[in-house]
Amino acid sequence: MLVVDNLSVRYFGSKDNAISNISLTFQQGEFICILGKSGAGKSTFIRSLNGLQTPTSGDIFWEGKQISNQKEEELRKIRREMGMIFQHFNLIPRLSVLQNVLTGLAGYRSSVKNMFGIFTAEEKKAAEQVIAEVGLKDYIHQRVEHLSGGQKQRVGIARALLQRPKVLLGDEPVSSLDPGISNRIFTLIKELHERHQLLTIINVHDVELAKRFATRIISFSNGNVIFDGSPEQFNEKIFHITYQ
Ligand SMILES: Nc1ncnc2c1ncn2[C@@H]1O[C@H](COP(=O)(O)OP(=O)(O)OP(=O)(O)O)[C@@H](O)[C@H]1O
Ligand SMILES: [Mg+2]
């Protein structure tokens, strides 16, 4: 269970909160899509969940542990339980699919091992398995820079999956992709979500995608939650309030 308790974030030098007094509870198995227009606070919120963004006030608890108050070592353990995928993939273009995916193990390894890129046969086997899961078996030794956008995001998903996460976070992971590809990527995410019994929380641009895949939709406006309900409840009126 992931609990957000009265969370506010204000950026340095800004006079307004980016998000204000957010309280939400997420259960394992939920597939949550977050909607809201540009500047609503979606990225700030999602980045707060795994401690990439420090709260100005309020707390986040993952399985009872307060995220904001942890020592480095404990925070590393918590972070590896939370895989993240990004709009611009955040891959290393010159490296192969396999090498990129293996960076997902960073949270499990010493910094020396990470620096020298030394991986055991077992680690490589686990990486091969997640690469197959995302449908990139034939591309394993290709440099990432030669892949299409959809394939790059599959690499991003495989990297997150190699962490063996319990939570999958996404900050607009399909906003750089064509609608058809976006749908296929969401289909893959949903499959993995079910197979690995994840809690999935994704910011999305496309309301139709959210309605098709989410079990719960949350919409943000001006840093506040203005809707939290089922896809069916997200109606025309809520749509207009969200995007007005
Ligand atoms: N690093 C930053 N420094 C100062 N202000 C920021 C910073 N990042 C975001 N903001 C501000 O915080 C508010 C929320 O931004 P955020 O990026 O979380 O919104 P978003 O919903 O993700 O928008 P988008 O759809 O454009 O990605 C906005 O007013 C934004 O200008
Ligand atoms: Mg954003």
Side-chain angles (χ1 to χ4, degrees), residues 2 8 12 15 19 40 46 50 67 89-90 94 101 107 119 125 151 157 164 171 176 196 215:
L2 183 61
S8 298
F12 182 76
K15 66 178 179 24
I19 49 173
I46 214 109
N50 66 352
I67 294 183
F89 323 122
N90 293 14
R94 286 176 301 101
V101 169
F119 295 95
K125 207 167 150 217
Q151 289 170 330
I157 294 168
R164 279 178 268 123
D171 193 3
S176 306
H196 298 283
T215 59

Side-chain angles (χ1 to χ4, degrees), residues 7 9 11 16-22 34-46 171-172 203-205 218-226 241-244:
L7 178 73
V9 173
Y11 289 103
D16 298 314
N17 283 346
I19 49 173
S20 297
N21 306 106
I22 310 275
I34 298 179
L35 299 173
K37 64 182 183 188
S38 183
K42 306 180 298 295
S43 298
T44 304
F45 178 72
I46 214 109
D171 193 3
E172 306 225 23
N203 291 339
V204 252
H205 195 72
I218 294 173
S219 76
F220 275 64
S221 177
N222 281 324
N224 297 295
V225 171
I226 56 153
I241 303 170
T242 302
Y243 292 99
Q244 73 190 354

Side-chain angles (χ1 to χ4, degrees), residues 48 50-51 53-55 58-62 64-76 78-79:
S48 302
N50 66 352
Q53 176 66 53
T54 311
D59 289 313
I60 297 165
F61 298 91
W62 165 242
K65 282 175 261 168
Q66 187 179 15
I67 294 183
S68 39
N69 237 348
Q70 296 298 337
K71 295 208 180 74
E72 198 54 42
E73 181 58 26
E74 193 60 30
L75 190 62
R76 215 159 79 117
I78 294 174
R79 280 222 182 103

Side-chain angles (χ1 to χ4, degrees), residues 2 4 7 18-19 22-26 30-50 60 84 87 167-175 186 189 199-231 234 238-239 242-243:
L2 183 61
V4 177
L7 178 73
I19 49 173
I22 310 275
S23 291
L24 291 164
T25 299
F26 304 113
E30 287 191 290
F31 194 109
I32 290 141
C33 286
I34 298 179
L35 299 173
K37 64 182 183 188
S38 183
K42 306 180 298 295
S43 298
T44 304
F45 178 72
I46 214 109
R47 290 165 51 82
S48 302
L49 295 180
N50 66 352
I60 297 165
M84 189 150 184
Q87 178 176 357
V167 182
L168 181 65
L169 303 174
D171 193 3
E172 306 225 23
V174 298
S175 294
F186 256 76
I189 294 172
L199 160 60
T200 300
I201 309 174
I202 300 182
N203 291 339
V204 252
H205 195 72
D206 180 339
V207 177
E208 287 313 308
L209 272 183
K211 288 184 74 103
R212 203 172 310 143
F213 289 94
T215 59
R216 175 178 170 194
I217 292 178
I218 294 173
S219 76
F220 275 64
S221 177
N222 281 324
N224 297 295
V225 171
I226 56 153
F227 171 82
D228 180 1
S230 68
F234 188 89
I238 313 276
F239 173 88
T242 302
Y243 292 99

Side-chain angles (χ1 to χ4, degrees), residues 4 10 30 41 46 95 97 124 126 128 148 157 162-163 166 198 223 236 243:
V4 177
R10 182 181 297 192
E30 287 191 290
I46 214 109
L95 297 187
V97 170
K124 282 188 189 152
E128 283 166 16
S148 69
I157 294 168
L162 189 62
Q163 283 176 234
K166 293 184 182 163
L198 302 173
E236 199 78 359
Y243 292 99

